Amino acid sequence: MAYSGPGGGYFQGGYGSAPGGPAFPGQAQDPLYGYFAAVAGQDGQIDADELQKCLTQSGIAGTYKPFNLETCRLMISMLDRDMSGTMGFNEFKELWAILNGWRQHFMNVDADRSGTVDSQELQKALLSMGFRLSPQAINGIVKRYSCRGKISFDDYIACCVKLRALTDSFRRRDATQQGMVNFQYDDFIQCVMSI
């Protein structure tokens, strides 16, 4: 299960209509639009390379190193409702809100201010976001996202993105909300490979 709320594992978008549409009146006044427009092409969409530039220029990573390209691909896939491989401004605004929540959460669980979280801090973080995972699942996550037992901010974000996207995909298939779904093999492959 995932937490429903600001910065949590599951976030109901509140930024409106179809993502990636034409610029709307007042969009140029939005402070985020400057970062977005600086890298977006004529189509008003950004790909993973452009998202990486945009997030680096915005400084959202703070004192942490900029997001790597794979993390940017994951971020786009999390919100890519039309499966275009790109992100429009509305999707970017939604991502910005989610990233700010996760950054604040990371800072809160990084108790020793090391710039990384260890397995115990990650377990607390996931629990506070509403993820009820077995010790084996937590161990698997730590092995996947840590370097010598420490998880950097970039890898923490990649982990949160993947957990949210997989949880959303699972939830859509769990019609009875019982925590169990049946996947056909091809559906399973499409689900995990799109994230």
Side-chain angles (χ1 to χ4, degrees):
M1 292 194 164
Y3 170 74
S4 178
Y10 180 72
F11 182 89
Q12 285 284 43
Y15 289 97
S17 62
F24 53 85
Q27 197 172 46
Q29 285 75 39
D30 190 315
L32 294 179
Y33 189 70
Y35 298 122
F36 182 85
V39 297
Q42 289 289 336
D43 62 355
Q45 300 283 314
I46 58 176
D47 61 17
D49 290 314
E50 292 165 330
L51 178 61
Q52 184 183 45
K53 288 176 197 159
C54 186
L55 293 175
T56 299
Q57 291 169 3
S58 74
I60 193 167
T63 58
Y64 305 114
K65 67 179 180 154
F67 298 107
N68 70 41
L69 193 55
E70 182 57 27
T71 302
C72 292
R73 286 186 186 115
L74 286 170
M75 287 188 252
I76 286 177
S77 73
M78 176 179 70
L79 297 172
D80 189 13
R81 294 173 187 100
D82 63 359
M83 305 304 282
S84 66
T86 61
M87 174 178 283
F89 182 63
N90 289 339
E91 291 164 316
F92 177 72
K93 283 178 59 171
E94 184 176 347
L95 175 64
W96 185 270
I98 294 166
L99 284 176
N100 272 315
W102 284 337
R103 181 179 64 175
Q104 188 60 49
H105 204 253
F106 182 87
M107 290 165 46
N108 290 341
V109 297
D110 181 18
D112 60 1
R113 300 292 179 245
S114 65
T116 62
V117 294
D118 60 25
S119 60
Q120 289 82 21
E121 290 169 327
L122 178 68
Q123 186 170 8
K124 284 184 214 170
L126 295 178
L127 191 60
S128 73
M129 284 189 267
F131 291 106
R132 308 283 182 247
L133 300 171
S134 69
Q136 294 84 359
I138 297 287
N139 190 39
I141 291 169
V142 170
K143 283 181 183 175
R144 167 66 177 88
Y145 290 99
S146 70
C147 180
R148 291 187 283 284
K150 300 291 184 178
I151 300 169
S152 69
F153 179 64
D154 181 69
D155 287 329
Y156 180 83
I157 294 299
C159 174
C160 288
V161 168
K162 194 164 268 195
L163 277 171
R164 177 194 152 144
L166 288 170
T167 299
D168 287 351
S169 185
F170 187 91
R171 184 176 282 118
R172 281 192 300 274
R173 290 162 175 83
D174 186 11
T176 61
Q177 300 299 300
Q178 297 297 311
M180 305 247 324
V181 296
N182 287 320
F183 278 93
Q184 289 188 355
Y185 178 69
D186 192 66
D187 186 29
F188 171 75
I189 294 299
Q190 287 180 50
C191 174
V192 297
M193 294 303 279
S194 68
I195 298 167

